[in-house]
Amino acid sequence: MSGGEVAGILVAVFWAILVSFLAVALARLAQTLRATTKLVADVTDQAVPLLADASAAVRSAQTQIDRVDAIASDVQEVTSNASALSTTVASTFGGPLVKVAAFGYGVRRALGGRREDMPAREPRRTVIVGRTVSRREKRKPRGKRD
């Protein structure tokens, strides 16, 4: 055998090994592509019902939001009606009730001051730094004492 034949055999063996590696790589790539195709098909089969459920949930949420919006507008209307009613009641009954209360207070004061059979009460006294001062007595401001 000559050197050219040995080189040819070596190249042929090298090409056979290379082709074997490429065949194994292609077989693994084909297996990976089959698994990926199956995974995509499974995801598609599961995603379609999930999307339908999500769409139904969004529709239900929109219905509930519409209901809450209607309730909120009704509450706002009731609040404005209650405010108007309280304003009306205050203006209708508030003034006369204050006048009646003031009149009653004045009558009590007038009748209470005219009783001569009751002894007059002594004015209340307050103790300030060891000395008793009547409440009616004017006090000097704190900073201007003698």
Side-chain angles (χ1 to χ4, degrees):
M1 245 199 250
S2 69
E5 290 177 350
V6 172
I9 291 175
L10 285 176
V11 169
V13 169
F14 174 74
W15 278 108
I17 293 172
L18 181 66
V19 168
S20 298
F21 281 128
L22 287 176
V24 169
L26 285 175
R28 288 190 179 172
L29 179 63
Q31 186 180 21
T32 304
L33 285 175
R34 278 192 299 272
T36 304
T37 304
K38 185 178 183 294
L39 178 67
V40 168
D42 290 345
V43 166
T44 303
D45 290 344
Q46 292 177 1
V48 171
L50 286 176
L51 289 175
D53 290 345
S55 176
V58 167
R59 273 189 244 108
S60 174
Q62 182 62 37
T63 303
Q64 296 300 324
I65 288 174
D66 291 341
R67 288 180 185 171
V68 168
D69 188 37
I71 290 170
S73 64
D74 290 344
V75 166
Q76 184 178 7
E77 184 178 338
V78 167
T79 303
S80 64
N81 289 343
S83 176
L85 180 64
S86 67
T87 303
T88 303
V89 167
S91 65
T92 302
F93 296 114
L97 284 177
V98 168
K99 289 178 184 177
V100 167
F103 178 74
Y105 177 74
V107 168
R108 274 196 317 259
R109 291 279 295 187
L111 292 178
R114 291 190 177 196
R115 292 186 181 168
E116 296 176 10
D117 58 340
M118 297 190 88
R121 287 194 303 180
E122 218 174 286
R124 291 186 181 181
R125 298 189 181 275
T126 306
V127 176
I128 298 178
V129 191
R131 150 186 139 160
T132 303
V133 179
S134 170
R135 280 192 177 206
R136 294 181 190 224
E137 188 178 317
K138 286 190 177 180
R139 294 184 213 157
K140 293 182 182 177
R142 287 188 170 198
K144 297 182 181 180
R145 289 195 177 169
D146 293 327

